Structure formats: C-alpha cells, structure tokens
Amino acid sequence: MTHRPATTGRPPGLRPIAGAGLALLLTVAPLSGLPVARAAAPGPRDAPCAASEPYRSGTSGYHTFRIPAALQVPGGALLAFAEGRRNSAADDGDIDLVLRRSFDGGCTWEPLQVVADAGADTAGNPVPVIDPYSGDVVLLSCRTIAGATEGQIRTGAVASSTRRVYVQRSADGGGHFSAQEDITASVKPADWRWYATGPGHAVALRSGPHRGRLLAPGNHSSARTGHDGAHSLLSDDGGRSWRVGYDTSASGGMPTLNESTLAELPDGRVYISSRDHDSATQGARADAYSADGGGSLSVPFRPQPGIAGPAVEGSVFQVPGRRGEAPLLYSGPSDPKDRRGMQVRISEDDGASWRPWWTVSEDPAAYSDLVETASGAVGLLYETGPLTYHDTIRFVLVPDQAPSARSRSEAGHTYGRSSGTPGNSAP
C-alpha cells in the first residue's frame, strides 16, 4: 500500500506533535460541569507508528472482518470494533461483534474479544461512545434474528421485529461488556422495517443545554412510505435509556438516505453526513445540521457535491478548537464510482465545502472511522486490501501536513484558507 507523502500546508487548528510527523495535536476542552476523565500522558509505549492491521480476513475463525468503529478510552485503550463474519463476506448470516484493544496508540493489538455473539444470526453495526458522567464505554448495535435477511425485512417477507436494537456497557475500558439489552421498543417505531445503527462512533455533546447527551446516527426503511430515512438516537442519562430524535421519513425529507455519521461543531451545532442512494443527485452524500443536540434538523438534508465518491459509509470528526481554527474531517473512498482510494477530506467552514487533504492509497477501500487517540493524534480505522476492500481492516495516523506540491497541483486546489468546492451553506 502506497502512502502519499506529507509535506507542507497545515491549516489552522492542525498542529504537529513533536517527533511525530503523522499526528494532529488536539486541545480537548473539558465538558463543563461533567467529570470527564482526561487521557493519560503518553508513556514509553505510546510512540506513534505509521500503520497497523488489527484485522485480517481469514483469521481467528472468521471468513471476513468488516464495518470498523473506533473509540479512545480516556486514560486507557484504543478500541477497534468490527463485525466478524464467520462463513462469508455477506451482510447476513453468522456474524459476531468483535473487538481488539491497543495500549500503544494503535501500533500493536491485544487478542480478539467477542463482544456479542448471536449464534447463527447477525450481530453488527457497532456504535461506541464514552459516557462522560461515568466514563463507561456505551455500545449500540443491531441484531437480525430468526435467520432473516435484510432483503426479507425490507420487503415485509418477514416481520420487522426480526431486526432489533441493543445497548451494552463496559466499566473497565472495553475489557468486559455487559450482556446485550434490547431497546427496540423505545427506538424503533412500529412502521419501520429495516434498521441500522451507525456504523462508526457516536458522540457525547460537550456544550450547550444538551451537554453530556449521547447522540448516535441511525437509518431505517419505512413500511408506510416505502422509502429509506435517517434518524438519530438520543440518551440524556448516560446511555441507560434511548429515544429517537430527528427522523427524515417523518418530515418528508430526502427518501434515499442510508448510513450516517455526525459531529458536534465548535459552535454547538451538530453536522450530519449521510450516504445517499439517489443516483439522480450530484455525488453520493447529503448533509444536514441540527441546532438542538440532534433532536430535530435546523437545516434539512441536501446533496453535498463537495464529497464525490461511491455510495458507501463515511466518517466525520471535528478537531477540537475554536470555530474558524479547528477543521472538520471526513474519511471515505475518493474514486467517483468504485470503492477505492481512501481519502481524508477537510472542511474549514463547518461542512459547507470540502477539499481533499490526504489520499491514503489508491487500493480498494470502503468503510472507515476517524478517532482521536490518547496522544492527540487523529487515527483512521478503515477497510482496505490489495485485491478487495475487505481483505483487512487497517489503522493509520492522519498526517498533520498536506500532500506534496505535485499532489496539490494534480488535485487542482491550494492548502490554507480556501473557499473549497461549492456545497451547502452552513446556517
């Protein structure tokens, strides 16, 4: 796998860690009024490494590993969740939720743990987050029971109740997890058929009247409308109870939205980016904003032409800092049609416009998740491989510098303050 070099052109808000060229130094402001644990100072084992491979398909008794989700435990391990698919690469069948932990910033990984095993059925779509009150890891996920498939659920060939939603907790940084607790009744209306959490990390809001709220993205299909929709899941008690926030299918929004990712912006609004399956729109993503902590949309979903690529999951991450100084990052494949060319894009105007920042490689690539590590570096956990995008799940650190001058010329843009590609206007 070939990585493009990082040289010059650091935007405001991105500062290098001394001695670590592949890092972003993030100034993390504590959540006012909440006892947030602080990450421990890097020790001898925390020296960043360029890349690692927590999952390789065909190992540990699994045919394929897919659907990465990443989370840094304050003062503890970096967690890399995935789906362990026992018998094939298919989205249905015998699938477990699995986890590997790293105590050195993603260089090496502890042995694989099974977090949820649904027997011959499917457990998947991991969405982890830290509860800032307790410090617990809270993990949302879904299960398909009774041998059902997504196609059967979407068409109504089987009962919609065969697709269910769960939550788990870990009080020891991911070492052990509670049994799955079924929360379907509180987060899945009766007329929804298919349902998916995330995948990828959720967020704990850090500011405003809803600070401390756990906010996760989801998507569903509606039996009433026959369309897909995006929604949010909210918890104001540290993940003990959950409810639905915004729901695009109820508000008559875009009918083709799928997997979503979200981030809290420096001004407290929430930015949401969604996979869009409408082939008639420009590009393959849409975005929206919420001004009330994910309860509703202040700006509805609209196509985002600044992020071109195939129809696929993506990840957004807000670099902590003041508005105008801290960029918003997006990761996803950059090829306009095929799942290949994993790229990190950058926005300096709260997601209104985007431009390329770093192309990790031109290899096949698909799902990804961005995460802040204990050392302050931004990491990327993503699917990739030389032959298919699900050969491995790889972890890399995002460079604090822009690609080379040659790459900048080829890409047709400059680094530093820029108007970027015309896109949606942030309110």
Side-chain angles (χ1 to χ4, degrees), residues 3-7 343 356-359 362 402-415:
H3 295 260
R4 292 186 181 177
T7 54
Q343 186 178 80
W357 175 251
W358 178 49
T359 299
E362 302 295 347
S404 66
R406 179 174 179 271
S407 297
R408 294 200 303 274
S409 176
E410 290 172 348
H413 62 258
T414 59
Y415 287 81

Side-chain angles (χ1 to χ4, degrees), residues 218-230:
N219 70 90
H220 61 274
S221 67
S222 171
R224 178 177 54 83
T225 66
H227 297 149
D228 285 0

Side-chain angles (χ1 to χ4, degrees), residues 345-409:
R345 295 169 172 90
I346 188 170
S347 174
E348 295 171 291
D349 53 12
D350 299 333
S353 63
W354 293 88
R355 56 189 174 88
W357 175 251
W358 178 49
T359 299
V360 185
S361 86
E362 302 295 347
D363 288 344
Y367 285 39
S368 62
D369 202 17
L370 290 161
V371 62
E372 179 195 0
T373 68
S375 66
V378 172
L380 175 65
L381 186 68
Y382 72 108
E383 301 173 340
T384 190
L387 300 178
T388 73
Y389 59 78
H390 50 73
D391 290 338
T392 69
I393 294 178
R394 188 172 172 84
F395 179 79
V396 296
L397 295 177
V398 178
D400 65 282
Q401 304 253 354
S404 66
R406 179 174 179 271
S407 297
R408 294 200 303 274
S409 176

